[in-house]
Amino acid sequence: MHGKISIKRISGLLPMLILLLILVNLAAISFIGVIYYRIDMFENATGNYFRMINEYAISVLNSDGNISALLEEKYTNLENEFNRMNKLLRNGTVLKPPEFTSVAEVEVYRAHIRENASIVRTNLSNVIQRSYIHIGFMLAISAGASIFLLLSILAGRYAIRKYGKEITAGLEYMEKILKFEMHPDFVKTDTNIVEIEQLQNSLLNLSSDVLFNRKLIEKGVHGNLDILLSEIMDSFRKRMPCERIALSFLSPTGNLVAETAVTTYKTIFLNPGFTEPIASTSLADVIKSGEPRIINDLDSYSLNKRISRSTYFVLKEGIKSSITIPMLFNGKCLGFFFVSSRQKNAFTMEMMHYSHRILNLLKQKFYIEYLLQQVVSETSNAFILLMEEKDNETSAHIARMSRYSYTTAMFYHDNVKPLEPRFMREILWYSPLHDIGKVGIPDSILLKEGPLSPDEMQVMKNHVNIGSRVMEKMNASLLERVSFPLMQTAVEIIKGHHEKYDGSGYPEGLSGEGIPLAGRIVAVADVFDALTSRRPYKRALPVEEALNIMENDMVDSFDPEVMMAFKSGFPEILKTFEELKEI
């Protein structure tokens, strides 16, 4: 890590560095000692040599030009001393033997002896001078090593002392965060020590988790699993390469029902509401083990294997890795939590444990939210059954219109702009409630077989206001207990499905995008089903004729983008028409 100090590196290198510097000092001192010893040897050798050469010179002077045996003996001794000294000093001179026969030659020989002595003296001076230079150099190395050693020790002590202070500060931060006296964003993060940075990062992660867990625990009931999953998606994305989190629940009949999913990408093939027998998936093994499962290469996992339809769909979405965690209550599995990534080998055991911990915190909340949604859905179905008893419209009409609306919403999501999964599911749930207000219309008008008079038509139109008042009261009552308007989409469908894009509809004469999108979608589906259905006062039109009327005669009544989505999904619309048409 550039520019960072590691306590581990300091603690590992400092003893080695100290030992190295001590060895450098010892080597320098030893070298200086050796030099002093050699200087002493040089001085002793040259002193002895000069004494002997003086004696030899006197003997030569007293020889009167005659070489005696004593003179030759003294020369031999002087030559031996000269050779020994010459090895030390490397004189670069030669001591000639006595070869003279007259007094004149003696003077020449004495001059040679003096020259030899002068060269030896000069060489000795040079050797001693160089030795002192070496001594100075080694003393400088020793002093530098000592200073560096001292600075290293001081730097090490400073780093360790700073480490201790930052550890203490980190513990104080942790204590404050755990007591919720400060937010982790205020934790100090400027440091040049690697371990402190790692400690602070761990502190930030842990403190963020503490606050996030507290936030999750303190959350009220939304009545909306999509919102809850969206709120925890950011936390997962900070910890791992996560592009999809999802929930599925087990039905009493053993089917796995895809409840909701939050993704970072647009195209989704495994939609909410998808159902598959648990026996046809590998999740039965997860239930049996009761433990989370990681698959880090779904392509290889699925190779040469019969895979479930749900696995096929997530592969089609580009998912490569997944974590699957069973939701267990008293040993019974009620559903699954999925974390998925488009990267291979995306997940580690640590990531799986984090996901498992979040699920354990939220599984009860997940299940409560799910049950609340089911209660709302079943309440809607009860309203629909009540309306069927009252109105002459059939359950087939309600089912068709609901499916037409859902298909239009899906193609709007794919071709116009993204919609929340919850919104599309509520279109499916609540579109059958579009005419719920008809329960308040007198039977004489509601069940009349012929055309309605203008006055009767005004009474009939009032079904929108009746239905919207019922749903608004229900929505307001639920809002006192949950944090999300559960029935808002139902209100928008009821109030908006008779409004027209050009403003000529009722009850409020809204126009354009002033009409809620849910109302604009259901309006197209309702008109299409009305045109293609038989009534006592009209025949059923062929689907092509009905579509032609909507595109030409009623073009100003519909949102052009919604109409485009309806036509894009027309093959699916036709499948629903053939499947649920009245005989």
Side-chain angles (χ1 to χ4, degrees):
M1 191 176 298
H2 182 68
K4 295 293 182 181
I5 301 171
S6 170
I7 290 294
K8 184 177 181 181
R9 188 178 300 170
I10 290 174
S11 62
L13 290 180
L14 194 56
M16 295 177 62
L17 185 61
I18 292 172
L19 178 61
L20 178 62
L21 294 174
I22 290 173
L23 291 175
V24 168
N25 276 322
L26 289 175
I29 293 169
S30 299
F31 188 72
I32 291 170
V34 169
I35 292 175
Y36 272 117
Y37 175 72
R38 286 179 65 84
I39 289 174
D40 187 59
M41 288 179 61
F42 296 158
E43 290 178 339
N44 289 338
T46 53
N48 191 46
Y49 177 72
F50 285 135
R51 180 183 57 78
M52 292 177 69
I53 204 169
N54 283 334
E55 291 177 357
Y56 180 64
I58 292 171
S59 296
V60 169
L61 182 63
N62 294 332
S63 67
D64 295 328
N66 298 316
I67 301 174
S68 64
L70 177 61
L71 185 63
E72 288 184 347
E73 180 184 355
K74 285 185 177 183
Y75 170 76
T76 301
N77 292 336
L78 180 61
E79 183 182 35
N80 291 336
E81 184 65 23
F82 175 79
N83 290 336
R84 187 174 72 84
M85 181 197 63
N86 207 34
K87 290 179 182 178
L88 296 172
L89 299 179
R90 296 185 177 89
N91 291 308
T93 184
V94 177
L95 181 64
K96 295 179 181 178
E99 294 177 352
F100 49 84
T101 58
S102 65
V103 173
E105 290 178 350
V106 166
E107 287 301 323
V108 174
Y109 187 64
R110 285 183 65 204
H112 165 70
I113 292 173
R114 284 194 298 271
E115 182 183 3
N116 180 275
S118 176
I119 292 173
V120 168
R121 187 174 289 107
T122 300
N123 286 346
L124 175 62
S125 177
N126 291 337
V127 167
I128 291 175
Q129 186 178 3
R130 286 195 302 270
S131 297
Y132 279 118
I133 290 174
H134 292 160
I135 289 171
F137 182 70
M138 295 309 296
L139 284 173
I141 291 177
S142 178
S146 299
I147 292 171
F148 189 78
L149 174 61
L150 179 61
L151 292 176
S152 299
I153 293 172
L154 292 175
R157 290 186 63 186
Y158 170 77
I160 293 170
R161 187 160 53 246
K162 183 178 180 182
Y163 180 80
K165 288 181 179 178
E166 300 234 20
I167 285 287
T168 302
L171 293 174
E172 291 174 356
Y173 286 133
M174 179 62 72
E175 184 178 3
K176 290 179 180 178
I177 289 168
L178 291 176
K179 291 179 179 179
F180 302 103
E181 295 176 0
M182 69 180 297
H183 194 276
D185 291 345
F186 296 107
V187 174
K188 181 181 176 184
T189 56
D190 55 315
T191 178
N192 288 320
I193 302 177
V194 172
E195 287 83 359
I196 296 299
E197 184 180 71
Q198 294 170 347
L199 174 67
Q200 288 175 342
N201 288 337
S202 298
L203 174 65
L204 285 172
N205 288 336
L206 181 58
S207 56
S208 296
D209 285 350
V210 169
L211 290 183
F212 181 67
N213 293 347
R214 185 186 186 196
K215 181 180 177 183
L216 291 179
I217 292 170
E218 291 178 350
K219 279 187 178 297
V221 178
H222 290 78
N224 189 329
L225 282 170
D226 295 325
I227 291 178
L228 188 55
L229 282 188
S230 296
E231 288 176 349
I232 68 174
M233 181 64 153
D234 287 342
S235 175
F236 276 90
R237 298 212 57 180
K238 289 176 183 176
R239 293 299 188 91
M240 60 192 81
C242 168
E243 285 84 37
R244 187 182 201 274
I245 57 175
L247 281 170
S248 292
F249 290 93
L250 281 172
S251 71
T253 57
N255 287 327
L256 187 67
V257 181
E259 173 54 31
T260 189
V262 176
T263 68
T264 60
Y265 48 87
K266 177 180 176 182
T267 304
I268 300 174
F269 295 98
L270 185 58
N271 288 299
F274 172 82
T275 302
E276 186 173 25
I278 189 71
S280 65
T281 73
S282 62
L283 296 178
D285 296 330
V286 177
I287 295 176
K288 186 176 180 180
S289 71
E291 296 295 330
R293 179 186 72 182
I294 293 180
I295 299 176
N296 262 327
D297 189 347
L298 271 173
D299 290 327
S300 298
Y301 174 82
S302 306
L303 196 63
N304 301 322
K305 183 186 297 183
R306 184 177 180 182
I307 60 174
S308 62
R309 291 176 61 221
S310 54
T311 301
Y312 169 78
F313 285 135
V314 295
L315 283 170
K316 198 173 178 182
E317 291 179 19
I319 297 300
K320 305 295 183 184
S321 305
S322 72
I323 298 174
T324 303
I325 307 172
M327 281 190 287
L328 302 175
F329 290 87
N330 297 322
K332 182 179 180 181
C333 182
L334 299 179
F336 297 90
F337 180 56
F338 303 96
V339 182
S340 306
S341 172
R342 286 178 154 184
Q343 299 179 26
K344 285 186 179 180
N345 303 311
F347 300 126
T348 64
M349 293 298 291
E350 181 182 355
M351 295 172 185
M352 185 184 74
H353 293 321
Y354 175 80
S355 304
H356 198 186
R357 181 169 61 80
I358 294 298
L359 177 63
N360 284 336
L361 282 171
L362 289 177
K363 64 182 181 181
Q364 190 166 15
K365 193 178 296 291
F366 281 155
Y367 198 58
I368 290 172
E369 301 273 4
Y370 172 69
L371 289 178
L372 181 58
Q373 288 185 176
Q374 294 303 109
V375 167
V376 171
S377 177
E378 291 302 320
T379 302
S380 300
N381 289 333
F383 276 125
I384 293 166
L385 290 173
L386 177 64
M387 188 176 65
E388 285 182 9
E389 292 293 326
K390 176 78 173 177
D391 196 1
N392 57 11
E393 293 183 340
T394 65
S395 58
H397 158 71
I398 293 172
R400 284 195 306 270
M401 201 276 296
S402 174
R403 294 264 290 274
Y404 295 160
S405 300
Y406 182 64
T407 300
T408 303
M410 284 198 301
F411 279 87
Y412 188 94
H413 169 81
D414 292 338
N415 299 302
V416 181
K417 62 183 176 184
L419 300 174
E420 293 293 332
R422 168 80 185 203
F423 177 80
M424 292 191 287
R425 191 159 62 252
E426 287 180 340
I427 291 288
L428 181 67
W429 286 349
Y430 300 144
S431 54
L433 296 176
H434 66 292
D435 282 339
I436 190 65
K438 287 182 178 180
V439 296
I441 303 300
D443 289 350
S444 59
I445 296 175
L446 183 66
L447 303 178
K448 185 177 179 180
E449 295 191 358
L452 299 179
S453 68
D455 290 340
E456 290 173 332
M457 181 58 70
Q458 285 302 119
V459 174
M460 177 64 80
K461 286 182 178 181
N462 196 42
H463 79 277
V464 174
N465 295 323
I466 295 172
S468 62
R469 282 198 301 270
V470 170
M471 285 301 133
E472 283 172 342
K473 287 181 180 179
M474 182 176 178
N475 197 38
S477 178
L478 288 171
L479 266 176
E480 294 177 2
R481 294 164 177 81
V482 299
S483 59
F484 182 79
L486 293 176
M487 306 302 294
Q488 184 59 37
T489 302
V491 172
E492 292 174 355
I493 287 172
I494 294 169
K495 294 181 74 171
H497 78 284
H498 281 302
E499 299 286 2
K500 295 183 179 179
Y501 203 71
D502 62 1
S504 62
Y506 67 91
E508 297 180 11
L510 302 176
S511 63
E513 294 188 2
I515 307 169
L517 178 59
R520 284 178 268 153
I521 289 173
V522 172
V524 172
D526 189 37
V527 169
F528 178 77
D529 193 69
L531 292 173
T532 55
S533 298
R534 182 176 58 83
R535 293 291 181 266
Y537 49 86
K538 65 176 260 325
R539 68 181 181 89
L541 298 179
V543 291
E544 294 80 5
E545 184 179 349
L547 186 60
N548 183 60
I549 291 173
M550 293 173 68
E551 287 186 288
N552 296 292
D553 300 343
M554 304 178 68
V555 64
D556 294 332
S557 298
F558 307 118
D559 180 343
E561 290 182 335
V562 173
M563 193 64 194
M564 182 185 72
F566 179 82
K567 289 191 292 183
S568 298
F570 202 65
E572 292 296 321
I573 299 287
L574 289 178
K575 288 181 184 178
T576 300
F577 176 80
E578 291 297 329
E579 180 184 345
L580 299 175
K581 67 181 179 181
E582 298 171 359
I583 301 175

